[in-house]
Amino acid sequence: MEKLNPEIRNQIEDELLGTVGRRYRQETFWVIFLGLVCVGGTVAWIIQLRKGLGVTAMRDYVSWGLYISLLFFFVGVSLIGALVSCVLRMSGAKWRYPLIRIAEAVTLSAIFFAGFMPVLDMGRPERLYFLITHGRIQSPILWDVVAIATYFIGSVIYFYLPLIPDLAIMRDKITDAPKWRKKLWRWMAVGWEDNLLQRRLLKKAMLILCIVILPVAISVHTISAWLIAFTLRPGWNSTIMGPYFVFGALMAGTAIMILIIAKLRHGYRLENYLTPKHFNNLAKILLALTAFYLYLNINKYGVPAFKMAKEEKAVLEDLFYGKNAFLFWFTQVVGLVIPIVLLSFKKIRQSVKWVVAASVMVLLGALINRYLIVVPNMLHPFVPIQHAQHGYATYNPTLIEWTITASSLAGFVLLIILLFKPFPVITMWEVIEEVEKRGEEEIGVENIVNPQNIPVHVS
Amino acid sequence: MACSNNCTCNKDNSGNQDNSRRDFLVKGLVGGIGAAFLSGCSANDKTKPASGEKINVLTHDGKLVAVDKSQVANFKPHISEEDVRKGIPGKKFVMVIDLAKCDGCGKCTKACNKMHYLPSNKEWIEVLEMQDSPEMAPYYFPKPCYHCDNPPCTKVCPVDATFKREDGIVAIDNERCIGCRFCMAACPYSVRLFNWTEPIKPNITETTPAAENVFQSKKGCVEKCDFCPHMAREGKLPACVTGCPMNAIWFGDANEDAVTCYDGTTTKLSQLLEDGAAYRFMEELGTEPRVYYLPPTNRTYNAKEIKIENADSKK
């Protein structure tokens, strides 16, 4: 396809820039709501800081609870950026272009909260700097700190690089913006003139980053898995943890990605850019990942269940027909089997609603699964729990814990929304370039070159 | 024992400290004058009137001499942070627990709690009721920290707050601990405790660095059995040993191949382990505990009376 008519180009840019700074009623509601939840979480956190971790339900046996479960969840979700920007890139999936910025925003937000959760869980957060002044590089926690920090910086760069040409477009196009904004755009666009050399350099940088960030992304989550796999506890002492976490993470990340683009699609009127084709393709990936994760689960639980070694037995019995049986079978059936069956049908994959429904199930299953990885194992140590004080041999998270957990999840979503506010959701220059090169079909966008079909914004 | 680094009077005793050290340890414990270990002597000081009470001290050439108590000045040596992290030189502490003798009275726990100012809901040494399988006789199982030679806990500590000392003790520095609780997850024996809330502070002043403090509890930090290093420095036995009237707990130095129990009996460690067919708890984990158990054969109590609280006991 030859170059786009400048007028149409203009119109595409106008349309995508339309979301920048615009207020949507529903979005404002969500921002206020999530903000309030975060305020509640901050209050809860202050109470926790003042009174100590005693305000949580964690005790000596269950010494890690919701916070660490959530750490694993966030680190996991952050892998979606690497999946979309690296794995899809290397597999030559052209439909990824409209999704890149969304995926990177999810990644940024997730890795930020992944870094935050351990601080919430610390008994002495004021000694955090000891990790630098007295850090022991032999400890997996140090590896985790280094990996999360590296991945965070990498993700910031990966968010920023494809933004440069878009910032230049904003700098040149939005004339009615406040002065400081224009100044900021000018500064952030680092003198982008959209010439061939600049484009070549930018693309090279993105390629290098894409190759570098993939092993970093995998290491981040593998190291989180090692935090528990490096212990001698029944249920945790397993070599499967690394891949188990990584693939569970990719699965949860894909589910979140589907939910977010489903929301953005209607909220920001991006139906022409985020089309059923994207849902169908992401659903296929989700299908593959859930099926593979089920396979990993069969290995993780099935193999020890066949042997029923004494130590593992207590944990497995708890999961299979004990106290946590409902949650366990929920994650397996609702979180994996039903979505696999649903997504196997082409018709369902092509229906945005059904794909969203399947993603919700997968996401719920993934969240509960993180809890099941952490807590039940801690309740079944080698040495039998005896003479336990009240509340020591069980784990029922307190209101403070639930509030902090909920506000972390709220903060995660809020940060994503806030990241979409100052920038266009879709990478404009890349989508335009690719549409010029390959046509709408391959990129997965619809009707954007037809000026008649540009929808009118309703706010 | 402790004279090698604490005494003011014998500065050049490095060559002959081995001669009568064990003899001295035994005498010291039997005679109950363990205070002499950290007493420095100022033999030249003639100004004080004689009290008439004699005290045994070790001279720089390795002889035991009885001097008047008034001639001995109480001397608290300065222990630096480095000393505490290194441990007591030349020592390898070891504990042996005789399950045949333990009748589950829990006095070890009480003595330990008293020594470390712990509330009753904290137990650094926990007495469990064990039963390997329903057909087998139950027995009491005191569980201190095993001070493993391949400690899973110190390996994972991100800030070196818990560390392995040269004398075998796995210690915790609560001025360093950040409260991540990775060590608690890593310990397969559920030994470590966490200060979930502000602990009640006793009215004492401590001069030693944190890892050898008697009172270790600190909000947001981890604590556990520390083998009483502050006692060991004075050549004294840990609280649980001196608190066990059944003589079920032995404590000593593997380098000296000697362990001592409540009534002061000192015996050869290797002999005790061999004769008693000693084993270590969950040897297969490879943690190399420094605590040995003598199996509960010929129990001195009625095993049938033991009620097992949690049936899925191990080993």
Side-chain angles (χ1 to χ4, degrees):
Chain A
M1 199 176 185
E2 62 273 22
K3 277 240 167 205
L4 280 180
N5 181 342
E7 220 166 275
I8 295 173
R9 242 185 112 113
N10 231 356
Q11 231 152 351
I12 295 174
E13 289 174 1
D14 279 343
E15 193 188 347
L16 289 175
L17 285 172
T19 63
V20 176
R22 183 189 286 264
R23 288 214 176 94
Y24 297 85
R25 195 184 285 170
Q26 217 189 5
E27 185 195 63
T28 316
F29 164 76
W30 277 105
V31 168
I32 292 172
F33 172 71
L34 295 171
L36 283 176
V37 177
C38 286
V39 170
T42 314
V43 172
W45 190 32
I46 291 168
I47 295 172
Q48 181 185 301
L49 282 176
R50 294 185 66 170
K51 293 194 176 167
L53 285 170
V55 297
T56 69
M58 290 186 279
R59 288 299 179 263
D60 293 338
Y61 288 106
V62 184
S63 53
W64 283 345
L66 287 183
Y67 302 156
I68 295 293
S69 310
L70 217 52
L71 158 72
F72 293 151
F73 177 74
F74 283 135
V75 177
V77 170
S78 75
L79 293 200
I80 187 65
L83 178 76
V84 172
S85 337
C86 306
V87 179
L88 291 189
R89 181 190 181 129
M90 286 174 188
S91 57
K94 302 295 169 206
W95 53 272
R96 74 176 191 273
Y97 286 107
L99 304 181
I100 287 178
R101 185 156 302 146
I102 303 171
E104 283 305 324
V106 175
T107 296
L108 259 184
S109 182
I111 199 73
F112 176 81
F113 279 93
F116 194 59
M117 291 322 289
V119 182
L120 282 175
D121 192 63
M122 277 169 71
R124 291 237 155 213
E126 77 275 17
R127 292 181 180 173
L128 187 63
Y129 71 95
F130 280 10
L131 289 173
I132 297 158
T133 54
H134 296 97
R136 255 180 99 245
I137 200 65
Q138 302 95 314
S139 164
I141 288 194
L142 255 279
W143 311 347
D144 217 19
V145 170
V146 172
I148 288 181
T150 312
Y151 191 49
F152 179 73
I153 294 166
S155 300
V156 170
I157 300 173
Y158 215 144
F159 186 79
Y160 174 62
L161 282 185
L163 199 61
I164 297 173
D166 280 6
L167 283 163
I169 296 173
M170 287 158 79
R171 174 194 66 192
D172 300 338
K173 281 199 99 163
I174 307 180
T175 43
D176 55 343
K179 224 175 176 179
W180 66 271
R181 272 201 197 179
K182 279 200 267 186
K183 230 180 190 170
L184 186 71
W185 290 336
R186 178 162 297 122
W187 181 73
M188 281 180 77
V190 285
W192 184 264
E193 289 165 0
D194 208 13
N195 58 37
L196 274 177
L197 177 71
Q198 282 181 334
R199 279 205 176 210
R200 216 172 55 223
L201 280 174
L202 182 70
K203 284 190 173 165
K204 203 168 218 172
M206 281 165 64
L207 177 65
I208 293 170
L209 201 61
C210 150
I211 295 164
V212 172
I213 212 159
L214 189 60
V216 175
I218 291 175
S219 75
V220 173
H221 209 32
T222 306
I223 292 166
S224 336
W226 286 350
L227 292 187
I228 66 168
F230 277 1
T231 66
L232 286 165
R233 279 172 182 267
W236 283 3
N237 185 1
S238 160
T239 51
I240 206 172
M241 284 302 178
Y244 185 71
F245 268 53
V246 169
F247 283 94
L250 292 173
M251 181 187 84
T254 310
I256 283 201
M257 186 74 191
I258 289 172
L259 296 180
I260 286 177
I261 65 169
K263 197 78 203 136
L264 290 178
R265 185 169 190 257
H266 293 294
Y268 287 166
R269 318 287 318 155
L270 293 169
E271 283 96 340
N272 290 344
Y273 297 87
L274 306 168
T275 61
K277 181 175 173 153
H278 294 121
F279 285 91
N280 185 25
N281 286 344
L282 283 172
K284 277 184 198 163
I285 293 177
L286 189 62
L287 171 63
L289 286 169
T290 38
F292 188 64
Y293 198 58
L294 183 67
Y295 166 73
L296 286 180
N297 266 306
I298 292 168
N299 278 274
K300 185 179 181 287
Y301 295 108
V303 171
F306 185 85
K307 294 179 275 193
M308 275 296 176
K310 199 172 181 182
E311 279 86 25
E312 303 275 342
K313 200 178 162 196
V315 185
L316 292 173
E317 280 176 346
D318 186 351
L319 293 176
F320 291 167
Y321 43 82
K323 255 163 106 185
N324 289 302
F326 175 75
L327 291 179
F328 177 77
W329 291 112
F330 182 89
T331 59
Q332 300 303 319
V333 177
V334 182
L336 293 171
V337 177
I338 295 178
I340 291 171
V341 174
L342 284 179
L343 294 172
S344 303
F345 294 100
K346 198 175 178 185
K347 276 229 165 105
I348 286 182
R349 284 201 307 269
Q350 280 169 341
S351 146
V352 174
K353 263 187 194 150
W354 276 104
V355 173
V356 166
S359 303
V360 170
M361 286 188 245
V362 171
L363 185 62
L364 268 179
L367 261 169
I368 297 169
N369 197 32
R370 302 288 135 174
Y371 170 84
L372 288 179
I373 292 170
V374 176
V375 175
N377 293 285
M378 301 206 89
L379 279 170
H380 298 281
F382 284 125
V383 181
I385 298 175
Q386 288 179 355
H387 320 295
Q389 302 164 56
H390 177 71
Y392 272 57
T394 48
Y395 180 65
N396 301 308
T398 60
L399 187 64
I400 298 254
E401 248 172 316
W402 281 119
T403 313
I404 292 178
T405 302
S407 75
S408 306
L409 286 167
F412 163 67
V413 179
L414 183 63
L415 191 56
I416 296 175
I417 298 177
L418 294 182
L419 277 172
F420 289 149
K421 264 351 275 171
F423 312 114
V425 176
I426 312 279
T427 324
M428 296 186 289
W429 66 279
E430 233 177 354
V431 168
I432 292 169
E433 186 189 281
E434 292 301 317
V435 168
E436 280 174 350
K437 238 192 256 171
R438 297 170 217 277
E440 291 186 333
E441 175 72 26
E442 220 178 316
I443 313 303
V445 293
E446 283 168 359
N447 297 326
I448 60 166
V449 291
N450 184 350
Q452 261 78 55
N453 278 330
I454 292 170
V456 187
H457 270 281
V458 249
S459 61
Chain B
M1 183 183 181
C3 263
S4 57
N5 62 343
N6 293 340
C7 248
T8 47
C9 61
N10 42 19
K11 290 199 172 76
D12 53 349
N13 63 350
S14 52
N16 43 32
Q17 54 177 289
D18 290 325
N19 296 357
S20 58
R21 196 207 278 152
R22 195 185 310 152
D23 192 19
F24 191 45
L25 170 71
V26 175
K27 272 186 188 159
L29 290 166
V30 172
I33 48 161
F37 290 113
L38 83 137
S39 327
C41 47
S42 49
N44 299 330
D45 189 2
K46 307 273 190 228
T47 51
K48 283 180 190 164
S51 67
E53 210 180 325
K54 294 286 177 193
I55 199 161
N56 283 342
V57 287
L58 189 67
T59 62
H60 70 279
D61 51 354
K63 281 179 191 147
L64 266 182
V65 261
V67 293
D68 195 85
K69 205 179 177 185
S70 65
Q71 299 283 301
V72 181
N74 253 345
F75 169 70
K76 266 257 180 201
H78 174 72
I79 301 166
S80 69
E81 172 93 33
E82 207 181 321
D83 293 335
V84 163
R85 287 196 163 253
K86 220 175 154 203
I88 301 164
K91 298 283 168 189
K92 273 275 178 221
F93 293 114
V94 64
M95 186 179 273
V96 183
I97 299 175
D98 191 344
L99 299 178
K101 286 184 187 158
C102 174
D103 68 346
C105 68
K107 282 186 182 148
C108 52
T109 314
K110 284 203 187 91
C112 171
N113 284 24
K114 198 176 168 203
M115 163 81 67
H116 296 102
Y117 302 95
L118 299 173
S120 58
N121 59 7
K122 272 185 188 167
E123 291 184 352
W124 282 10
I125 179 164
E126 194 184 353
V127 183
L128 299 160
E129 296 105 32
M130 290 284 218
Q131 190 172 27
D132 299 347
S133 69
E135 297 77 30
M136 284 145 128
Y139 55 93
Y140 292 108
F141 185 82
K143 185 196 68 175
C145 171
Y146 294 142
H147 296 270
C148 308
D149 280 343
N150 182 20
C153 51
T154 63
K155 276 190 203 170
V156 297
C157 180
V159 291
D160 216 10
T162 184
F163 48 90
K164 179 81 178 166
R165 314 200 314 178
E166 281 174 21
D167 57 11
I169 290 177
V170 173
I172 299 176
D173 179 354
N174 271 343
E175 294 300 322
R176 180 73 65 80
C177 178
I178 61 170
C180 69
R181 309 194 292 295
F182 198 0
C183 56
M184 298 179 75
C187 176
Y189 310 111
S190 318
V191 157
R192 288 167 171 262
L193 310 175
F194 190 71
N195 286 288
W196 299 98
T197 46
E198 190 71 62
I200 302 153
K201 282 197 178 71
N203 192 17
I204 48 163
T205 42
E206 303 215 51
T207 48
T208 46
E212 273 193 26
N213 278 359
V214 175
F215 178 71
Q216 300 222 337
S217 311
K218 195 159 194 146
K219 182 181 140 193
C221 296
V222 176
E223 63 179 56
K224 65 162 186 73
C225 157
D226 60 354
F227 260 15
C228 291
H230 54 285
M231 298 298 275
R233 277 215 193 263
E234 299 178 15
K236 290 181 189 167
L237 292 168
C240 52
V241 180
T242 46
C244 175
M246 302 300 289
N247 292 312
I249 311 180
W250 302 76
F251 186 82
D253 179 4
N255 286 346
E256 286 179 331
D257 198 21
V259 283
T260 311
C261 69
Y262 167 77
D263 67 8
T265 317
T266 296
T267 189
K268 216 172 162 194
L269 170 70
S270 47
Q271 196 72 43
L272 185 69
L273 298 184
E274 199 186 313
D275 294 349
Y279 72 94
R280 295 188 293 191
F281 186 60
M282 300 200 75
E283 184 73 63
E284 68 273 19
L285 294 179
T287 54
E288 308 280 334
R290 293 204 69 76
V291 175
Y292 294 85
Y293 285 99
L294 304 181
T297 48
N298 302 322
R299 268 152 288 202
T300 55
Y301 53 91
N302 186 0
K304 286 188 184 125
E305 284 173 5
I306 304 178
K307 287 194 182 70
I308 307 289
E309 186 185 304
N310 192 340
D312 64 84
S313 57
K314 316 274 164 12
K315 201 151 240 127

